[in-house]
Amino acid sequence: MDFETREEIDGVRLSFSCIPKSRLQHQRNVVPLGAMYTPLNNKSNIQVLPKEEMLACRQCRAIANPFVTVNNEIWTCPFCGFTNRLVLNQIDPDTNNYVLPPALHETSSTVEYQTGRLSSLPPIFFYVVDTCFVADDVEEFQSLKESLIISLSLLPENALVGLITFGKHVQIHDLLSNDNRAYTFNGSKEYTLDQLSKSLGLLAPGLNIHHSRQAHGSGVDDILGTIGRKFLQPVNIVEYQLTNIIENLATNTFPHSKFKERPERATGAALNTASLLLNALLGDHIKTTGGHLLCFIGGACTSGYGKIVDNLLKEPMRSHHDIEKAQQSTLPSAPTTSTKTKVDTSLFKSARTFYKKITSNLVSMGLSCNFFIGSYDQVGLYEMDEICYKTGGVVVMSDSFSTAIFKQSFIKFFKKQDEDNSEYLDMGFNATLEVRATSDLKVEGLIGNATALPVRKDNPFAEKTVSQTVLGEGSTNSWKLCNVNPQSTYALYFEKLDSGFTSFAFVQFLFHYQHASGEMRLRVTTVPLSIIPDSDIVNLERGFDQEAALVLLARDAINKMQPDNTNAKNKPIITQLAVVKNLDKNLVDFCTRFSVFTPGILESFRLSSSYALLPQFLYHLRRSPFINVFNNSPDETSFVRHVFMHEDVNNSLIMIQPTLLSYDIDTFGAVDETTGLVITEPEPVLLDSLSLGHSKILLLDTFFHILIHHGKKVAEWRKAGYHEQPEYVHFKEFLEAPKKEAMEILMDRFPLPRFIDCDEGGSQARFLMAKLNPSTSYATNPNHLFGFGDRFDVFTDDTSLQSFMEHIQRIVTAQK
Amino acid sequence: MASVAASPTNSHAALYTASYNNSQQNQIYQQNPFQPSQNQNPYQSNQNFPNTNNHLSSAPVPKVLRDMNHLSQENEDLSLQQHRYANQVEYTSANDAGEFRSFYTFQNVSPPEATSQFHAVDQGTSSSKFIRSTMYYVPESESLRAATKLPISVTIRPFAPLLASEEPVPLVDMKRDDIGANDDPLSKGPIRCRRCRTYVNPSFQFTNDGKFMCNICQFPNNVVPDDYASVLDGQGYRIDRLSRPELHKGVYDLLVPDEYNFGGPEVHSQPLHHIFLIDISEQSVKQNLPVIIADAIRATLYTDDYDLDNYDPNEPETPNKRVKQKFAFIAFDKSLHFFNLSPTLESTQVVISSDLEDPFVPFSEGMFVDAEESKNVIEDALNQLESFCSQETVADSETCFLAACRTAMLCLEAVGGGKITSILSTLPTWGPGALKYKDNKNVGRSPAPLMEKRLYSVDNEYIKLLGRDFVEKNVGLDVHVISPTSVDLSNIGWLSSITGGTISRSSNFNFERDGRSLTAKIINSIKKASGYQGQLKLRCSNGLQVSQYYGTSSSIADTSVVGSVQDPVIPVLNEDQTFTILLEYDGKLSTKLDCHFQAALLYTDPDGVRKVRVINLVVAVTERLEDAFNFADENAIVTTIVRDTLSFVGKQPLTELRESVNSKLVEIFTQYRAMSEYGHNTTRTLTNQLLFPDSLVHLPIYLLAFIKSKAIRDSTAISSDVRLADLYQMLSMPIERLMYLLYPALIELHSISEEEAEFEPTNGFFSLPKSKEVSASHLQKGVYILCDGMKVYVWVHPESNMMLVKDLFGDQVESVEELNPLIDELPELPTHISEQARNIVKYFQTYIVGDSSLESAGIRLVRPGIDGVEHEFRELLVEDSLRGSMATNSSLGYPEYLSNLHKAIRVKLDNDSSSNKVKQSVTNAENHHDTLAQRLIHF
């Protein structure tokens, strides 16, 4: 089974599908053993089986799968070796043999079971809306309101909705009153759960009287209680009121000098209030449902807890540089004579701590927090990112709420499932992922948008699968995934121990989630890994997935750079430089391990095709915005990293090494000599400055940007208006072809990428130039000062891929 | 000057006038500060005034009461009602030529009785409408003053309403913006004395060399700025003085530059911001208050040409640029309900906050709005307010009024302060600063002094801090209490009082009967607001200094807000505010000069224009005791004594206060008697006669009424809230209202003549019929209208003539018992008597009570033996002794009181030691210029 097929069926990609038997031999392989798991993978149809078909090992509770050995009504659990009885009662009339339960069918490596349990509450969609829009942005606010109202119609009918708006202060809107009432809370104060429920008149959790009433009806109203109902209601009941409230929302800005101050915005308090409110409302039913906090943020948090910058404009927003400096300096800084206002570095530390608390509250409720940002400047995502990282929320970053990026991404957020006009949202709520592995594999951790759960103490076999080494969210074999959509992909890292006399090791993913229908489901994916002799290099190579390997390496590297992962455990700070150095070292080790070369002879260096792409990927990874934060704001870095942590292998690859398609006027529309077909398809070209051309249109896809770059000649023609003349229909088609292609990409991408249409030499072309491998930079062209020739120089000091590789080869071959 | 004498019908007066002319008139003229020879008044020389000789010559003489045994209210000389009537008639009745007498502020010395309507002509010193002094001949030294035992004080009403026929207060642009920024900041804005900072006024003496001398401090070297220089005419006056109001008027407003803004030149002055703070707790909803408030707000904002009232067409702004007052609503129960009134909204948004510990302003835009722009949204908000009354949900029973006040203050802080108009229906017991009932263990007994101190003084720390913040941030609070139980006015009333707010209290509220009066009160709170961010400063001639302010923040002791003699800051100003300022000697006044007062009130008017209202008063200085007595002003003296006494409530027991009022009266009369016996009328001393200073004839009845007033009456049946509500109102109400409050007007309907009780069409004067003495013995079986300055009562005897009753209440009425006890107005009937009665009520409501929007409504029907309010009515008959539980021993009838007074004087004079002291003080005052030899003769 090749990697793509497995990914389609099981949603799993492994870095090595064949692993050496011994632990030591495996360690020599440099690349970590890991799996990229996409639980809600929708690339193939998954069987849904009723609860009765689920067979669990009586000892370790692992689920029976096609890989178990069945012998005389007995199946042996591969994870613990326990033998379980298999009740066979159906007889195939044709063969007169007992029919194996569907779970054991060959095709059932991934199956989904209905557990028969329903969530007691429909999913929650809680809106947290910024109302700090100053005079000029009123249109933007209007547009935001429209989007919000549209979104109400996209929700499932029974979804619970609630609304909090904030400016300098936080307002919780009462949905049942026709008077448009709201309860307000001080934006500069941190409320406790107790204070909040008291001031709203909610009973403290534990004192809820409805607890007893649950027996004869656990309807929404019963669970929420009379007062709680004001704030959380099924959308089909309150759609009218909510629409009214949203339409009538007033901005909450306090007078401030436009040239001296930022508006006061208490984002932190709003998030805190929202999480506390839901906590108070759900009370005992805290774990009963999943849902989303939808936060719409129009600017930096400047007031109250979680503020990232003072509201005086003279104080600049923190940059990567400030953050790095603050982390390093332990000595009091020397007095400075500079008159420049310094960034208050204490702010982001305290802000991160504050948001951490909110995160843990949300995670405990199984709610995810999504950020929709409409701001030209930073809003403090860097401080808040933990909330969306750990709860699996999405982040959409746009310049304004009136942009298509926001509007369409937001609508796409409520995408329905593809199959037969399904009413169900294409997402899973409040999920947990548990990983089981055979005894020679241990789980080191997970890197992705999830939070570690404590190890289950009631199952000794769960504990056994946990490795001592911790990577990412580790020390456990189960994680909370508050929000999962079909793209959500998690990187799992395994430690390989010495294997016994088995030919396979197994990993089982138990993905328990709330289906959009409210049903609780369990999806089980079992993946076999072949154990090969230590000396078997052929199979090792065959089982090596360099793309998955790259993504696993990348996630690990990026994860190391997350601020909390370094600070919390008092580890030495891992700087960008250290990470890059580590990547380089890995690459050298990798090349040393897998390349073929004669020591001392540079030209003799060879890598087989299964390994050959990795160095190039790593080169681009080093230059990518995930590692290289230069020229990015902390918010942008947070954003791109967050998206990276969410996407599957293919999309991750695009992010690391953008794809470049080329349309050439000279070949476009020509008839292919061999097939006789008209060539309208673009030609994928190298991400290299050599691919530029005056007569070409280039289509760059970096995942975040879609860029169409017109060569000089093409642009001139277009400006001359040739495409409008009937005799140049061909040229018109040529111009439109890349746009069609771009639209197709735009269609199913979330969040919507930024679309850039530019001409050669134009200012926007910089997005393309920055991505290209500078094989022709001015550094390599001695004549650049004279404008020599028809070259496309990239103005950069970066090394090109060629010289990078040459260097690596030199190091590798120089070794003895 | 005793105006009794001015009445031509008074034979005594005529007699006295003749004798007085011979002996004293010349001297008076010599003392008259307004003689041309003194070059003080520019008008004397070039203006022809009507001959007022008759008036001036009616100088006072001692009044002698022949027989103590026949003392009665009928005595014309002693009748206050007669005095008021006579004084009133003098100004409001036209002479044969159809002309009305005017009061000329320089020529006519003593002002008319405070209760009179009169037309004043401002001649460079202010009329008594704006400032009233206790003495119009100020003693030159403390010892002379001490011999009179009379206080020297002025009572200022900066925004006194004027008659339509009177010239409005002129506005002078003194911004003088063209002065370069580099100049001395002290030279910016109005012309002022460099030493004492007196504002330019008609008494500045300009010289030809571009300097001027200050009339207050006599500093001669002030330099006139070039842009203000003018040539002097032959008599030494600036030739431009008639074109400049500040050089020939007693009262004027000065526009001042930004340097005078509150908070400095960078802060832009805002129009006045109002917050309605509305109680929506259970008690309030029960009484339907939200409905009334909503109505009142509608009436305030949308009926009549309210906005046009404020609009001064002379202002340089174009109408569309005009800034307006803004309004906000906050309702409160246990939490605060803010209404977002932004005009961009379709309907209002209610924002509820229950965080009372850290109050905050939930939103900014839409908090304060223009009434016109947000009309629809406001209407929606008011509807919601009304719907609180119809909601099925149970309203909170407690309120967080004080936290609401603090929040309102935070809202107003951002706009430079403003006014809170609040409705309170119950003791605020929720949230920070919650109040407790002050348990009074002395129910049924007179409380012990310690208990009194606790009952009547502020003891809540939250309120003390709030008070300080209010004053600092220029937030004023009007409280309308509608509660049958105590709301602890000792705290809340204090808060309102120091911020320039008004307090009204209604304990027995009935929606049908009292709704309209409450509406009128709320309308008044808004419409009568005449400015905010006020700072009052009184400057006076060398020799005097300010000793005490009453009725403002700086008069309330035990506040660390500001010291007791610091110039008061008055957060909000209204038309009815009066401030009494007590003066003391720090030297000697010069008899060669006059005594000048200048009250300057720096304030921001409701449209956000920063102004100074300057009120100048010039009075003469005398070295003669008689002058001091004869030109004393009864109204001002009563006001001062009342306010001085009230300022000790909470510090001294009420018994002591009452005693001190009595002894004050005895002292004054003793001094007068001593003076009369010694100086001039030794022959006329008769021990069985009570000598009244002519100008102070009614002092005993006023002070008797004061002792019987609810504020300090010796009674165990009056709750502390009732006392304090009256007390705080008495501290700041206009003098005429205070006079009526002490001694009500009582009109007998069945005896008024055809021509009376009509409004004069030309100038609005009202021919008020002569009142009856307020005594039960004067009540016949008929209909009476009584006004005590706060309320208007209609007293209907059950056995009244049914013709009269039908004419007043309608033909359908068959007996007095049938009348609806809840009516609050006399029906409009075509009968003449009905019109007259309604006119009388309207006059009282408009001019005395000050609720002009009530027209002729808002009355209380009193039927003896039928209505419970009779009890209340009885208490107002101050000449009678009060019976039963209403009061105890100190509530004597008037005749007894006078005879007690007489006895006390006699005892005091007969007692050797005290008599000597008195005599000596009088002698000293009279003769301290004399040589030792001369003085020895007297002994």
Side-chain angles (χ1 to χ4, degrees), chain B residues 193 231 251 389 425 439 466 656 754 760 825 840 912:
Chain B
C193 170
V231 192
V251 185
C389 288
S425 72
D439 60 331
L466 198 57
E656 278 179 31
E754 287 283 313
E760 182 71 42
E825 63 176 340
I840 292 170
D912 271 353

Side-chain angles (χ1 to χ4, degrees), chain A residues 162-206:
Chain A
L163 175 65
I164 281 184
T165 56
F166 67 95
K168 188 181 173 186
H169 301 297
V170 182
Q171 303 183 347
I172 305 177
H173 290 265
D174 180 345
L175 305 178
L176 286 185
S177 127
N178 293 321
D179 302 342
N180 198 349
R181 295 155 73 98
Y183 293 80
T184 183
F185 292 88
N186 198 336
S188 52
K189 198 172 158 185
E190 190 184 350
Y191 290 87
T192 62
L193 181 61
D194 207 38
Q195 282 171 322
L196 186 107
S197 21
K198 212 162 101 187
S199 54
L200 289 178
L202 291 165
L203 289 166

Side-chain angles (χ1 to χ4, degrees), chain A residues 194-223:
Chain A
D194 207 38
Q195 282 171 322
L196 186 107
S197 21
K198 212 162 101 187
S199 54
L200 289 178
L202 291 165
L203 289 166
L207 277 179
N208 273 340
I209 32 161
H210 61 248
H211 195 65
S212 55
R213 256 190 285 149
Q214 211 189 339
H216 37 93
S218 57
V220 175
D221 290 354
D222 288 323
I223 289 176

